[in-house]
Amino acid sequence: MTCALHPAIRISEIFGPTIQGEGVLVGLPTVFVRTGGCDYRCSWCDSLHAVDNRFRQEWKMMSPDAVWQKVVALSGGRPMMVSLSGGNPAIQPLGPLIDHGHREGYRFALETQASVARDWFAKLDVLVLSPKPPSSEMTTDWASFQACVEAARHKPQIVLKLVVFDEGDYAYAKDAAARFPQLPVYLQPGNHTPPQPGHEDGFIDMAGIMKRMEWLVERVIRDSWFAARVLPQLHVLLWGNKRGV
Ligand code: SF4
């Protein structure tokens, strides 16, 4: 049941528990709530099934209660981390869901490209801001990024996560870190092989990913950028681009 206070959420998939594969919470058992729809179209998006209209028939409008029942069923009612991802989860009304989960002892992380700020970011436990570098062919609005930081009102832990494919992306990452020196930085080598309709589990260029990882480590060390953490996507190493793990 939805109402003006508890509007429906567009859901692509809810799955888990599995481990968080990337960034500050890597390795932590997590249930994922992936929302449908995104205001970006990154050239290398690895979540097209939650972005592209070709997959829209798979998405469902669900009440916060219905989403919550699914999270509780998956987690066996044991409080744990819930990751809100997408798509861009910031374009969905997630405040009531977070309130509900907090009352039952769960924690919430959200990852967004920081294009849309929401007051309810302040309810989160972890806010991962992942602005998209030049290789994505998107343009960052740093005023929107700043608005996201302000919307969080120092309540959640905020981290900066950057995907790096090449030198241009690396320069962008350094610029982003310089703009927001208060945010811990997580760098991640890019994954070039997005799933396609009918081939959702896709081919993974593992050798390419590992080569970029090595290059990125070497690049950070050469620059004495000792505050940056460099991490691969653990779930991609384990399962490729397979969905729902
Ligand atoms: Fe895909 Fe994220 Fe880019 Fe949206 S912001 S298109 S979900 S990579």
Side-chain angles (χ1 to χ4, degrees):
M1 187 114 156
T2 61
C3 64
L5 286 178
H6 299 94
I9 304 165
R10 186 182 298 126
I11 294 292
S12 164
E13 57 184 346
I14 303 173
F15 63 93
T18 184
I19 52 163
Q20 170 58 259
E22 55 195 55
V24 62
L25 299 172
V26 69
L28 187 69
T30 298
V31 168
F32 287 83
V33 175
R34 188 185 297 284
T35 61
C38 188
D39 47 325
Y40 274 25
R41 288 291 182 280
C42 299
S43 62
W44 37 250
C45 179
D46 63 359
S47 306
L48 274 181
H49 60 289
V51 170
D52 198 289
N53 276 336
R54 286 174 294 169
F55 296 90
R56 209 179 175 93
Q57 75 284 354
E58 295 178 10
W59 304 346
K60 283 190 206 146
M61 296 304 292
M62 293 175 72
S63 68
D65 265 2
V67 173
W68 189 247
Q69 289 318 314
K70 178 83 180 170
V71 170
V72 168
L74 288 171
S75 61
R78 294 169 70 102
M80 63 183 304
M81 180 62 75
V82 179
S83 174
L84 305 170
S85 66
N88 184 0
I91 62 177
Q92 299 299 319
L94 297 174
L97 177 71
I98 297 167
D99 286 339
H100 197 132
H102 274 163
R103 284 196 293 273
E104 297 187 24
Y106 289 71
R107 300 176 72 230
F108 289 84
L110 177 138
E111 176 168 332
T112 176
Q113 65 266 42
S115 56
V116 177
R118 296 292 187 204
D119 284 348
W120 50 259
F121 284 178
K123 297 175 188 282
L124 291 162
D125 299 282
V126 180
L127 175 60
V128 179
L129 299 178
S130 184
K132 302 309 174 194
S135 64
S136 71
E137 298 173 14
M138 296 290 112
T139 302
T140 303
D141 176 353
W142 290 112
S144 297
F145 189 102
Q146 175 68 35
C148 288
V149 172
E150 287 170 11
R153 301 202 296 279
H154 300 288
K155 291 186 178 155
Q157 178 186 14
I158 309 178
V159 301
L160 181 57
K161 195 184 85 179
L162 295 143
V163 171
V164 179
F165 278 95
D166 53 28
E167 279 290 346
D169 289 356
Y170 182 78
Y172 172 93
K174 290 210 84 170
D175 175 62
R179 287 171 186 266
F180 298 92
Q182 75 277 28
L183 303 183
V185 178
Y186 289 78
L187 303 178
Q188 170 178 303
N191 168 2
H192 257 305
T193 48
Q196 300 295 323
H199 299 277
E200 282 78 7
D201 293 351
F203 166 74
I204 289 287
D205 174 19
M206 200 62 79
I209 292 170
M210 296 316 288
K211 208 167 149 191
R212 277 190 291 281
M213 178 76 193
E214 276 183 44
W215 166 77
L216 192 49
V217 170
E218 186 271 329
R219 195 73 188 77
V220 163
I221 299 300
R222 178 151 43 101
D223 258 1
S224 303
W225 190 5
F226 298 146
R229 289 175 178 80
V230 185
L231 286 176
Q233 290 172 294
L234 186 54
H235 57 291
V236 171
L237 299 188
L238 290 170
W239 300 299
N241 276 338
K242 196 171 175 189
R243 285 169 58 176
V245 288

